[in-house]
Amino acid sequence: MPCDQGAELGRCCCRTLDPLERTVLSDPTVPATALLPSQSAVDASGAATARAAMVARLEKSGDLMPGPVREALLALPREVLMPQAYVRRSAQNEMSPRWDLLDFSRPGDRDELLERLHSGDSVAIQHGGEPILGRVPGPRRGGVMTAMSSTMGLTAGLLQLLDVRPGQRVLDIGSGAGVTAAVMCFVCGDGGVVTLDIDPHVTAAVRERLSALGYRPAAVTGDGTAGWVDAGPYDRVFVSFAVRRVPQALVEQLALGGRALMTLGTSSPSWPGLAVVERRPDGGVEAELRAVEFGHRAGAGFDRLFLSAGFRATITPDQGRTQRSRLAPPPDTDRGMWLALDHLCPGLVRDFGAEDLTVGAPECGSWMRVKESGYRRWDVTTRGPLDIWAEIQEVAGRWRAAGEPDVYRLHFDADGSQRATSPNGALTWQLFPSDNGVPR
């Protein structure tokens, strides 16, 4: 099947492919691991079936459409990019979490690892900043996961919006497991791809595993917010971690007609925005902030707030004061309102696991819970110095007066500040002056 640029699939990687490679890349029923002699003992047909099933689920959910990204996800063997991955064995709130590092070379791990890699969920690949290459599989205890592959629905949707094309120069920031870099190499050709990560262990693993697939992009280590000027300017820039503001260096490294995508957020993980930055052919820059349901996790040095198990245990009627309200809480689908609330009233965190609308401010101990109690009646229970319910209703009113936008324009001012503004200008806020924004 030809790609959307009309080129032969065999030339989407901008190199001449031998007959076996052409067969693998054009027929998803043929295992891509046939390209890898070291993988000859692997049950590659099972991996190819799992890839096809994953792609079918992404298509059914609307996260994936026909085109080069779909072809790449069908062809690229995830078990080569992630031959080891972690699964959690402990309960979510267990104080010292327990993990198992599964290894594809161990027959007893293979089925569970294949299921994990193709579930569509995020995949943890690094524990506590450890070296990734040469690890001994088995149990781990405590600590945190420090690198992962993002959920496939999020990744597929963003890569399609990025609109990568053959021959483009692409900067992939936050290498992770190398999935996005592999897709970019498949579509654009590896000679134009730079994948950048702050962790040298991640860089080393991505370099080796992309090489096993026949790709040799520039895999470099450095601060993602500074970009990689040596190979710029770039037609596409993709950032796979959240930032508080658009890094100016990345804007400067965009080529004419270029596009950059990144999750933009605050200290709260609850209401992300997607920054879409484009450099016009005349050199000017246009950018917007879109309210989205899901975004990337915070990057290195970006502390996030969370509602601990102890904090959530205090959110009960007998711990707060309850009032009856005829005002309805804004629905989850009013994403533009929740995005504005996140920036105008920073420090709020949503408990998405709660049955009723529940929002806390962990730094001051305030919280709010809203429960429907009848026709157009809600019981609002609050505790702490902040009246979170009043803040929500005040921002909701301003958002409705602004025309209920889900997309805001991003302004880059001459003094280096950045602002988000509704299309009619009625609702605006300034982004944090740096990635170390002042908490509430």
Side-chain angles (χ1 to χ4, degrees):
M1 179 184 295
C3 74
D4 66 347
Q5 300 307 308
E8 285 185 353
L9 181 62
R11 296 190 181 276
C12 280
C13 294
C14 299
R15 62 187 180 92
T16 302
L17 305 181
D18 64 36
L20 175 57
E21 289 178 304
R22 287 182 181 275
T23 300
V24 168
L25 296 181
S26 63
D27 184 355
T29 65
V30 177
T33 46
L35 299 177
L36 310 171
S38 63
Q39 295 290 318
S40 59
V42 173
D43 183 6
S45 62
T49 299
R51 283 199 306 278
M54 179 189 72
V55 167
R57 290 194 302 271
L58 291 170
E59 291 178 301
K60 184 176 181 180
S61 66
D63 292 316
L64 184 62
M65 305 296 289
V69 173
R70 176 187 181 276
E71 300 307 316
L73 294 180
L74 273 175
L76 295 169
R78 293 170 66 81
E79 68 278 8
V80 176
L81 293 171
M82 294 174 279
Q84 293 181 322
Y86 283 96
V87 294
R88 186 165 183 151
R89 301 303 192 196
S90 56
Q92 190 63 36
N93 294 324
E94 194 169 321
M95 292 300 295
S96 182
R98 293 173 287 111
W99 312 84
D100 268 348
L101 179 62
L102 303 181
D103 191 307
F104 202 68
S105 68
R106 302 200 303 184
D109 289 353
R110 194 167 297 157
D111 288 346
E112 185 177 8
L113 183 55
L114 271 182
E115 181 180 358
R116 182 65 186 171
L117 296 184
H118 298 91
S119 67
D121 296 333
S122 59
V123 180
I125 61 169
Q126 185 191 46
H127 178 262
E130 67 187 343
I132 296 175
L133 298 175
R135 292 176 297 186
V136 176
R140 307 287 195 275
R141 180 174 286 277
V144 296
M145 292 297 149
T146 47
M148 61 178 49
S149 177
S150 300
T151 60
M152 279 312 305
L154 174 64
T155 299
L158 290 177
L159 284 172
Q160 289 171 118
L161 179 61
L162 194 65
D163 189 24
V164 289
R165 303 182 183 188
Q168 286 182 331
R169 294 163 294 176
V170 183
L171 177 59
D172 169 50
I173 302 177
S175 303
V179 173
T180 54
V183 171
M184 292 167 179
C185 289
F186 181 96
V187 177
C188 304
D190 57 2
V193 176
V194 177
T195 182
L196 169 66
D197 201 275
I198 197 171
D199 187 333
H201 300 314
V202 172
T203 302
V206 166
R207 182 183 297 116
E208 178 173 299
R209 288 163 184 174
L210 288 176
S211 179
L213 291 174
Y215 298 132
R216 291 175 176 78
V220 295
T221 303
D223 177 4
T225 61
W228 193 258
V229 68
D230 292 358
Y234 302 97
D235 302 297
R236 298 291 185 264
V237 175
F238 183 84
V239 182
S240 60
F241 54 85
V243 294
R244 292 187 183 274
R245 68 203 311 269
V246 177
Q248 182 60 33
L250 302 186
V251 178
E252 294 172 354
Q253 291 173 38
L254 271 182
L256 297 180
R259 176 181 299 171
L261 300 180
M262 65 201 73
T263 296
L264 194 151
T266 67
S267 58
S268 172
S270 301
W271 304 289
L274 176 65
V276 182
V277 184
E278 297 184 328
R279 184 174 292 281
R280 299 191 305 264
D282 64 4
V285 175
E286 294 181 351
E288 62 184 28
L289 182 61
R290 304 179 184 181
V292 293
E293 185 175 6
F294 301 110
H296 283 116
R297 296 169 182 253
F302 189 160
D303 292 331
R304 282 288 179 96
L305 299 173
F306 68 97
L307 302 181
S308 66
F311 186 96
R312 295 197 305 272
T314 68
I315 304 177
T316 60
D318 61 323
Q319 295 284 334
R321 53 188 180 275
T322 300
Q323 59 179 318
R324 183 65 55 84
S325 175
R326 290 183 175 273
L327 294 174
D332 292 347
T333 51
D334 287 353
R335 303 197 196 286
M337 191 291 300
W338 292 107
L339 177 64
L341 177 76
D342 186 31
H343 288 265
L344 294 169
C345 303
L348 302 180
V349 183
R350 171 81 178 268
D351 181 3
F352 285 99
E355 182 178 353
D356 304 305
L357 174 63
T358 303
V359 178
E363 292 196 326
C364 71
S366 300
W367 55 261
M368 174 214 73
R369 189 184 74 171
V370 182
K371 183 178 181 65
E372 190 172 4
S373 59
Y375 178 68
R376 290 189 174 181
R377 286 178 173 81
W378 290 266
D379 285 340
V380 181
T381 304
T382 59
R383 182 183 180 184
L386 291 181
D387 189 343
I388 298 174
W389 178 245
E391 290 189 337
I392 290 175
Q393 293 297 340
E394 191 270 336
V395 172
R398 294 176 62 185
W399 175 72
R400 286 190 286 268
E404 302 185 355
D406 283 332
V407 178
Y408 299 85
R409 183 179 177 187
L410 278 178
H411 304 265
F412 304 130
D413 296 328
D415 61 0
S417 62
Q418 298 180 11
R419 294 174 292 118
T421 305
S422 62
N424 67 2
L427 184 59
T428 186
W429 64 83
Q430 188 162 333
L431 304 184
F432 285 113
S434 72
D435 280 350
N436 298 313
V438 179
R440 182 172 185 162

